[in-house]
Amino acid sequence: MKNNNSILFFLFSLLLSLGTNAQNKALIPIEQNGLWGYCDFSRNIIIEPQFDDAKLFDNGLAIVSSNNKYGVINQEGNWVISNKYNEITSTLANDEFIVTTSKGKSGIIHTNGDKVLNTKYDSVFVFDERGDYLVFNKNQCGLYNTNDKNWILPVKYTEIAYDENSLLRITQANKIGFLNAENFQIVSEPQIIVNKTRGGVAMKAVVFDDWTDFSVVRTDGGYNILNKEGKVLLDTSSPQKIEEIDIELYNANGYNIPSNAMYVAEDQLFLVVGDTFEIKNIEEYKLKAVDYDGLGILQKGDKFYITNLDKTVSEGYDSLFSFNKDYLQGVNYNPASGTSTKSLVVINKKDADLGKEVVSNFTTMISYSNDDLNKDQHWALVISDKNKQGIFDLDNKKYIIEAKYDYIFTPYLKDYGLIMLGDEIGNYAFYNVKTHKVISEMTYTPTVNTTAADKGILFFEKNGKGSQSTKVLDVYSIKENKLTGKVINGYDVKVRPAKGSLHFNPKHLGWETNLAYEFSEFAPDNFEYMYVNDHGHGEIGIGFLDKDFKELVPANYATVSFASEKEPYIKVTDFMFNEGMLSPKGEVVVPIGKFQEVHPISDGIIPVVDKNGIQHFLDKNGNELTVNN
């Protein structure tokens, strides 16, 4: 710690209660002639100055150094871990410390003196709050649990990390596999090929398609499909490349591909059924000219007609194709333009509308599968000859949504009863199938945040105006089927994860970030949502909301970190990375930029360093505790 040679006493606020238990008393570092010790708030020296460096006490223990070696002492000044290590790091367990020897080897030491993990590894990191540690040796890593004192995963992987999809990934011999994050059981053995760079840019091996829970991946055996649990779904990989299918293109050219078709590989069609795939031959979905029992197809010149009991009951068509048991598609070609238009014609002989067109002048029709709808609903997406889209009810023979929109998307139909209606410039409105109404203006982006869906809330994203964030959110109630009128001046809202549900690691890249973990474990109880605000010019701030979306901390800060559950003060920086501190209520305790450095609070003390590099200590209210004697 930096300071001058005078004796510095660091005093607690009288608001802090020491209690009667000696193990819980607060001790304050003091420095005399270059050596550090500790005193209580009454200036009584408890541990004589004798250390080269002294950290604040945490849970009755402090890391100190003597003769350039680090150890751990208790509040009586006794060594709990002898001072013989080049480096000591605290962990999430109060009685376990990561130590590094003079030979650069690391392990884990218990405060009772036991070597929980021998000091023979290149590096050790905290992995989670359950006693799991990430251990590296000779460029390979594994997971060790100190509670059970055994290896969960042996040291044989080149990587164990959370990827950008929040999947727990293992990498071995340039192949990727996945683990169950709860029990670390292997979900998929390492088999997915790590993509090489293209044009100097690293290609991602796993990319989930928009609005879906699947990703096409490449394995040694060919192509396969991965779900968001990290499970490879196909028993046998396809030697042919699996690609996303363009249903509209197929159905405009003589097919009736259903809406749950997602991928195609040559003649194989991959249909989503529940949480897996059914593979069909695509030719099964090719429209066929069929002479139905009791119905005749009569040709007059170049036209075909539907007849019933020798009576013509339809218009004439260049071609007739089966669509389903109730309808045919009648097709007429325009040689001059090289295009065709289609009509949907009733062929159910029990139907009074036999032979009549229920939909005319369309180019493509896509049947929605039962995965998208209730079993008693039979709808189809219709694309008109003017390239406008609508949704037609095949049972009631009427449009649910008129064919006047440039885009219709249904990723939120099954779960929330919402259909997205878009115009040609990418603005969207929402149609609610329960109320049979368009429930919003056409002002939204196609992004819907479902992070709070289990709380009955969706967030609709739109572009901000004026001084607002570049993107803002309107709050939608799933139960009430309407917008609530509440607006969040920001976007990318995240619900606070349950305590104990996230893994921790000091590194940001490829892991759950420190902030996600700290938000889960240490934030005040009324902090329910985290969000960001894009101020423009690359300045994206972080803020917090309560359960009713009331602003607790405005999203004006470039970085945010919480100290501990016991003292959930918030360290913040501005966009110039000047540091400050907020109280659990979001009030400013240490103004941004007043000090060069602001460190996490511990035992009610905020360590700071001024512009001259001098160490100071502040109380919880930001008052100076440093007194020159």
Side-chain angles (χ1 to χ4, degrees):
M1 295 184 176
K2 294 183 179 180
N3 218 311
N4 52 32
N5 290 327
S6 64
I7 300 178
L8 300 180
F9 292 94
F10 308 104
L11 305 179
F12 270 117
S13 165
L14 293 177
L15 296 175
L16 294 175
S17 174
L18 294 181
T20 57
N21 188 336
Q23 288 186 341
N24 294 327
K25 64 187 177 183
L27 296 182
I28 307 154
I30 59 170
E31 182 262 345
Q32 183 177 29
N33 298 325
L35 295 177
W36 288 86
Y38 295 87
C39 71
D40 62 20
F41 85 106
S42 298
R43 303 188 184 186
N44 300 311
I45 295 178
I46 305 300
I47 301 175
E48 291 290 337
Q50 57 188 288
F51 305 112
D52 302 327
D53 190 11
K55 309 296 183 184
L56 291 173
F57 274 90
D58 186 16
N59 292 299
L61 300 173
I63 298 172
V64 297
S65 71
S66 180
N67 298 321
N68 295 318
K69 296 292 183 182
Y70 281 92
V72 178
I73 61 170
N74 60 23
Q75 290 190 323
E76 284 70 50
N78 299 321
W79 291 103
V80 175
I81 296 177
S82 301
N83 61 317
K84 60 180 181 179
Y85 298 101
N86 278 20
E87 184 179 348
I88 294 184
T89 305
S90 59
T91 70
L92 298 178
N94 297 333
D95 51 7
E96 293 177 353
F97 291 82
I98 297 171
V99 299
T100 303
T101 68
S102 58
K103 295 182 179 179
K105 293 297 182 180
S106 298
I108 302 171
I109 302 295
H110 194 280
T111 52
N112 63 14
D114 290 345
K115 284 189 176 181
V116 182
L117 180 67
N118 284 330
T119 52
K120 64 178 184 178
Y121 300 98
D122 293 339
S123 57
V124 179
F125 298 98
V126 173
F127 189 75
D128 61 24
E129 70 292 332
R130 298 179 296 187
D132 297 313
Y133 292 83
L134 183 67
V135 182
F136 284 86
N137 203 43
K138 297 179 180 179
N139 297 318
Q140 293 185 317
C141 61
L143 282 179
Y144 184 81
N145 183 274
T146 55
N147 295 324
D148 298 331
K149 293 184 173 57
N150 66 4
W151 289 96
I152 298 172
L153 294 172
V155 180
K156 68 176 186 178
Y157 300 99
T158 53
E159 180 189 46
I160 302 172
Y162 284 89
D163 68 6
E164 61 275 5
N165 303 302
S166 297
L167 289 172
L168 183 51
R169 179 175 69 199
I170 51 176
T171 305
Q172 185 180 26
N174 288 323
K175 302 289 191 305
I176 295 172
F178 294 97
L179 303 175
N180 181 305
E182 294 301 317
N183 56 27
F184 301 121
Q185 296 297 308
I186 293 178
V187 177
S188 296
E189 292 284 353
Q191 59 185 291
I192 299 169
I193 296 173
V194 176
N195 289 343
K196 298 179 180 179
T197 60
R198 181 181 298 168
V201 178
M203 306 298 293
K204 294 180 180 178
V206 177
V207 179
F208 287 98
D209 298 311
D210 292 339
W211 299 322
T212 74
D213 294 330
F214 306 104
S215 173
V216 175
V217 294
R218 192 160 60 93
T219 69
D220 282 333
Y223 292 86
N224 213 303
I225 301 172
L226 187 80
N227 67 14
K228 282 196 172 178
E229 284 71 51
K231 182 179 180 181
V232 173
L233 298 178
L234 304 182
D235 294 334
T236 304
S237 294
S238 169
Q240 288 81 34
K241 186 175 183 180
I242 298 175
E243 299 180 293
E244 187 175 352
I245 188 170
D246 186 341
I247 299 178
E248 179 182 336
L249 178 63
Y250 272 88
N251 286 8
N253 290 277
Y255 286 83
N256 184 21
I257 306 293
S259 63
N260 64 327
M262 183 169 291
Y263 302 110
V264 63
E266 291 192 355
D267 60 350
Q268 288 186 315
L269 185 65
F270 298 83
L271 300 102
V272 180
V273 179
D275 56 2
T276 187
F277 282 84
E278 183 178 7
I279 303 174
K280 295 282 190 177
N281 190 304
I282 197 167
E283 293 304 308
E284 294 181 31
Y285 296 91
K286 192 172 182 65
L287 294 176
K288 299 177 178 63
V290 176
D291 186 4
Y292 284 81
D293 183 30
L295 292 172
I297 305 296
L298 175 66
Q299 182 174 4
K300 293 182 181 180
D302 294 333
K303 296 292 184 181
F304 294 87
Y305 300 82
I306 298 173
T307 64
N308 184 28
L309 301 176
D310 297 326
K311 181 180 178 181
T312 300
V313 294
S314 75
E315 299 291 328
Y317 302 98
D318 294 333
S319 300
L320 285 170
F321 296 94
S322 62
F323 183 75
N324 62 20
K325 64 182 180 63
D326 295 317
Y327 297 101
L328 287 179
Q329 279 191 12
V331 182
N332 284 314
Y333 302 99
N334 185 335
S337 63
T339 61
S340 63
T341 57
K342 300 174 183 177
S343 300
L344 195 65
V345 185
V346 176
I347 51 86
N348 186 339
K349 60 185 179 182
K350 295 180 180 180
D351 195 317
D353 292 327
L354 175 65
K356 292 184 179 180
E357 295 180 354
V358 294
V359 183
S360 302
N361 299 322
F362 67 88
T363 59
T364 303
M365 184 172 286
I366 302 170
S367 299
Y368 285 108
S369 72
N370 286 336
D371 267 8
D372 295 323
L373 306 171
N374 295 326
K375 290 184 178 180
D376 58 348
Q377 293 174 319
H378 300 93
W379 294 354
L381 175 71
V382 178
I383 302 177
S384 74
D385 56 351
K386 300 187 183 301
N387 206 30
K388 296 295 183 179
Q389 300 183 12
I391 293 181
F392 188 79
D393 186 332
L394 296 169
D395 294 323
N396 296 309
K397 294 181 284 192
K398 66 178 183 179
Y399 275 101
I400 295 170
I401 298 173
E402 290 294 328
K404 62 180 183 180
Y405 297 98
D406 292 284
Y407 304 100
I408 292 181
F409 295 128
T410 58
Y412 310 109
L413 173 58
K414 182 179 180 181
D415 293 330
Y416 312 116
L418 295 174
I419 297 173
M420 300 175 66
L421 313 174
D423 63 18
E424 61 184 358
I425 61 174
N427 294 318
Y428 288 84
F430 291 88
Y431 178 92
N432 188 301
V433 299
K434 298 176 183 177
T435 61
H436 306 291
K437 293 179 181 179
V438 176
I439 59 168
S440 75
E441 297 179 351
M442 193 168 285
T443 57
Y444 296 94
T445 74
T447 300
V448 175
N449 186 320
T450 61
T451 186
D454 60 344
K455 300 177 182 292
I457 294 295
L458 298 176
F459 302 106
F460 295 172
E461 181 185 287
K462 63 184 180 182
N463 295 323
K465 298 179 180 178
S467 61
Q468 288 182 319
S469 170
T470 57
K471 291 181 283 188
V472 299
L473 299 175
D474 284 346
V475 180
Y476 174 83
S477 169
I478 298 172
K479 182 178 180 180
E480 297 177 3
N481 295 307
K482 67 177 184 179
L483 290 163
T484 64
K486 294 180 180 179
V487 180
I488 297 174
N489 186 23
Y491 61 102
D492 196 23
V493 170
K494 291 181 172 62
V495 177
R496 179 177 184 168
K499 288 187 178 183
S501 64
L502 294 185
H503 297 276
F504 172 86
N505 191 55
K507 297 181 180 179
H508 287 276
L509 184 61
W511 299 77
E512 293 285 0
T513 65
N514 284 350
L515 180 55
Y517 178 83
E518 291 169 3
F519 181 38
S520 168
E521 301 297 318
F522 304 147
D525 291 340
N526 61 330
F527 280 50
E528 186 70 20
Y529 299 97
M530 180 167 61
Y531 74 107
V532 298
N533 181 313
D534 189 343
H535 298 272
H537 310 291
E539 296 181 350
I540 298 178
I542 303 168
F544 299 89
L545 308 167
D546 68 10
K547 64 181 179 63
D548 297 317
F549 311 106
K550 180 183 177 182
E551 185 178 82
L552 298 173
V553 176
N556 297 330
Y557 302 104
T559 66
V560 175
S561 63
F562 295 90
S564 68
E565 183 177 15
K566 182 174 66 176
E567 297 174 301
Y569 280 63
I570 311 163
K571 178 182 173 181
V572 295
T573 67
D574 63 14
F575 297 105
M576 298 301 292
F577 294 99
N578 298 304
E579 301 180 355
M581 183 78 75
L582 306 180
S583 75
K585 295 182 179 180
E587 300 164 341
V588 175
V589 175
V590 180
I592 284 183
K594 182 176 180 180
F595 295 95
Q596 187 71 31
E597 299 175 17
V598 178
H599 297 285
I601 189 171
S602 179
D603 274 353
I605 302 173
I606 305 172
V608 296
V609 178
D610 66 21
K611 306 288 186 180
N612 297 316
I614 305 300
Q615 179 87 54
H616 298 260
F617 287 87
L618 311 178
D619 68 13
K620 289 183 176 182
N621 298 314
N623 299 317
E624 182 81 37
L625 294 176
T626 306
V627 179
N628 290 316
N629 186 352

